Amino acid sequence: MEVPRFPTLLLFVVLSRTSCFANSQSFIGVNYGQVADNLPQPSATAKLLQSTSIEKVRLYGTDPAIIRALANTGIGIVIGAANGDIPALANDPNFAKNWVNANVAPFYPSSKIILITVGNEVMTSGDHNLMTQLLPAMQNMQNALNAMSLGGKIKVSSVHSMAVLKSSEPPSSGSFDPSFSDVMKGILGFNDATGSPFAINPYPYFAYRSDPRPETLAFCLFQPNAGRLDTNTKIKYTNMFDAQVDAVRSALNSFGFKNVEIVVAETGWPYKGDSNEVGPSMENAKAYNGNLIAHLRSMVGTPLMPGKSVDTYLFALYDEDLKPGPASERAFGLFKSDLSMNYDVGLSKSSQTPAAPKTPVGPSPKTPVGPSPKPEKATWCIPKTGVSDAQLQANLDYACGHGINCQPIQPGGACFEPNTVASHAAYAMNLYYQNSDHSPGNCDFSQTATLSPNNPSYNGCVYPCGAR
């Protein structure tokens, strides 16, 4: 999990407030590791997942009890072939057929298996033989699925460390390590031909651990910061996650694979660690995972992939108490073994608790005061002058992550142009305010917004308004 240091038709806007952030969302998944001796029964885990907005689960193996427990839940399941299986998969097509017959056929389609990962971080394992056998293993696995008429339904890929990149900073310079470029091109050709994703493990946590400055922490936690300018593209990145994912996008593009989609197979932050570890804390873990979820829900995307959220598997569902290494390795879990939360990032369907707000982003709480007359005039919520792009991006993520319809500021939407953080944040902040009963406290955004009687609508982009 090593990470380099480096993130027109008139549209009728629906103004009714929704709670979509508490519903299932296909881009939010979770890793279910099993290096532990205190995990709940699979049936209890299945019920827990159904109570959340998590729609996909990644297993590192093929535990039949878990796969069976997830049957008829609608939860997508990623299963994994171990690194140790790769030589047999590569050299014996019958081994691949038997693997599929044992681990897929008895469960599918009741259990919604969507992806098989062949190996984990093989390309950075240092095992040259294993690296060269990875593609043949993936091909034989695909052929075995095809033989069962499952090739178009279940994809095959492999999971990679960010260390497959030789360069990741700035994001536009993202490129693969040339020492295994031929093997990587073969794997990417397979991904492209079969429509399977390129799965990657970006960890801003490790980037901060290697550069533990306060400004790096804010950049990694999606909190307000000065941002980092990519001097090649003139794009200012406001968080490490986007920078890392876009570095992968640039590397894929540089090899000519612009159509291969990215899946974030792992990302997370530990909530505790040893006394000499930099970064682990409950506060940081809640900020990273909560703000990441808000960012994904906003559907803003990354600068190089705007308007959609990358499928992201959070690490991890539970702590794994038998993992070796520093204490942080055993403290990535979102939930405890008794099914209670280690900390709340707003995943529960039964709770309207939002993802952890960035600091400081959300509307300020109002101090109760006596009734005052409401002006009978239209008002809009707009950013104050001089607010940084980083703060505006945080406001944008907060607003779009809380149930409003941000489709108009996505590509093709009536308000997508101008494609700037300032313009998109202005639209989202206003819509959040309009959907919140026109309460002045919901046009605060930590004193970065203000009410205005002037209509900011332009050229077919209609900013909703309301009389107060």
Side-chain angles (χ1 to χ4, degrees):
M1 300 190 298
E2 212 175 306
V3 181
R5 291 192 192 176
F6 276 110
T8 281
L9 298 173
L10 177 64
L11 185 62
F12 291 92
V13 181
V14 180
L15 292 180
S16 59
R17 185 179 178 95
T18 69
S19 59
C20 68
F21 61 87
N23 298 328
S24 297
Q25 291 153 332
S26 62
F27 44 80
I28 297 178
V30 71
N31 285 271
Y32 187 174
Q34 294 177 266
V35 187
D37 60 4
N38 60 350
L39 296 176
Q41 290 297 312
S43 58
T45 294
K47 289 180 181 179
L48 171 66
L49 291 168
Q50 287 180 289
S51 73
T52 72
S53 56
I54 296 168
E55 268 207 4
K56 297 174 182 176
V57 173
R58 179 189 170 207
L59 308 180
Y60 291 84
T62 57
D63 188 322
I66 298 173
I67 298 173
R68 193 175 291 113
L70 293 171
N72 303 311
T73 62
I75 295 171
I77 307 168
V78 179
I79 59 176
N83 289 5
D85 289 334
I86 290 175
L89 286 168
N91 295 307
D92 185 359
N94 286 325
F95 184 90
K97 290 179 182 178
N98 292 336
W99 196 98
V100 170
N101 282 328
N103 299 306
V104 178
F107 311 107
Y108 187 87
S110 296
S111 296
K112 188 180 175 182
I113 299 170
I114 58 175
L115 177 67
I116 299 171
T117 59
V118 177
N120 188 50
E121 300 189 350
V122 172
M123 297 303 294
T124 50
S125 67
D127 187 331
H128 183 73
N129 289 332
L130 204 64
M131 292 162 61
T132 57
Q133 291 175 318
L134 179 56
L135 177 57
M138 294 168 66
Q139 291 170 329
N140 282 339
M141 186 74 82
Q142 183 69 52
N143 292 337
L145 289 171
N146 292 345
M148 294 184 62
S149 300
L150 295 176
K153 301 171 183 177
I154 301 173
K155 302 298 183 182
V156 175
S157 191
S158 188
V159 178
H160 304 282
S161 160
M162 280 291 287
V164 296
L165 299 186
K166 179 185 179 182
S167 173
S168 62
E169 182 184 355
S172 62
S173 71
S175 60
F176 290 108
D177 189 326
S179 67
F180 45 69
S181 61
D182 289 343
V183 176
M184 186 61 76
K185 284 180 179 177
I187 292 170
L188 292 173
F190 173 89
N191 293 141
D192 192 38
T194 62
S196 66
F198 183 78
I200 193 76
N201 294 340
Y203 274 89
Y205 163 66
F206 291 112
Y208 171 64
R209 196 173 67 176
S210 64
D211 179 20
R213 295 174 297 161
E215 56 266 34
T216 303
L217 182 61
F219 189 66
C220 289
L221 297 181
F222 298 84
Q223 293 174 342
N225 62 89
R228 299 186 181 182
L229 180 67
D230 186 325
T231 55
N232 297 325
T233 60
K234 307 305 179 187
I235 293 171
K236 180 178 282 190
Y237 283 83
T238 59
N239 67 81
M240 181 68 80
F241 180 84
D242 282 356
Q244 290 183 335
V245 172
D246 272 2
V248 177
R249 179 75 271 161
S250 295
L252 293 172
N253 293 353
S254 72
F255 269 13
F257 294 102
K258 296 184 178 181
N259 294 323
V260 173
E261 292 196 358
I262 296 170
V263 162
V264 172
E266 285 183 25
T267 191
W269 199 289
Y271 64 86
K272 66 180 179 181
D274 293 322
S275 59
N276 63 344
E277 290 191 86
V278 177
S281 74
M282 190 70 75
E283 181 182 6
N284 288 347
K286 182 174 182 178
Y288 177 73
N289 286 309
N291 290 336
L292 171 60
I293 291 168
H295 186 51
L296 295 172
R297 286 172 172 163
S298 76
M299 299 297 288
V300 171
T302 73
L304 296 187
M305 295 181 290
K308 65 176 183 178
S309 290
V310 174
D311 283 5
T312 299
Y313 291 78
L314 304 172
F315 188 86
L317 183 58
Y318 300 118
D319 291 334
E320 295 176 85
D321 67 326
L322 299 182
K323 269 196 167 183
S328 60
E329 285 293 318
R330 297 176 290 281
F332 276 87
L334 295 170
F335 293 90
K336 301 176 183 178
S337 57
D338 65 2
L339 306 180
S340 64
M341 300 176 188
N342 274 318
Y343 51 91
D344 188 1
V345 290
L347 288 172
S348 174
K349 288 180 181 177
S350 63
S351 169
Q352 297 298 299
T353 303
K358 304 165 188 67
T359 307
V361 177
S364 299
K366 296 176 290 182
T367 301
V369 294
S372 58
K374 297 182 178 180
E376 299 296 329
K377 63 180 180 179
T379 55
W380 290 265
C381 179
I382 62 173
K384 293 180 179 179
T385 58
V387 179
S388 70
D389 280 355
Q391 179 68 62
L392 290 172
Q393 180 69 58
N395 293 353
L396 172 61
D397 287 346
Y398 183 90
C400 290
H402 282 69
I404 66 171
N405 177 18
C406 286
Q407 191 67 36
I409 55 176
Q410 294 171 17
C415 302
F416 179 69
E417 296 293 347
N419 181 18
T420 65
V421 171
S423 179
H424 292 176
Y427 181 90
M429 291 162 66
N430 177 67
L431 188 55
Y432 180 88
Y433 162 72
Q434 302 295 345
N435 282 12
S436 303
D437 301 322
H438 309 107
S439 167
N442 289 318
C443 181
D444 182 274
F445 293 93
S446 297
Q447 301 179 6
T448 64
T450 187
L451 293 174
S452 171
N454 299 319
N455 188 349
S457 302
Y458 61 92
N459 298 337
C461 173
V462 177
Y463 277 56
C465 70
R468 296 192 63 250

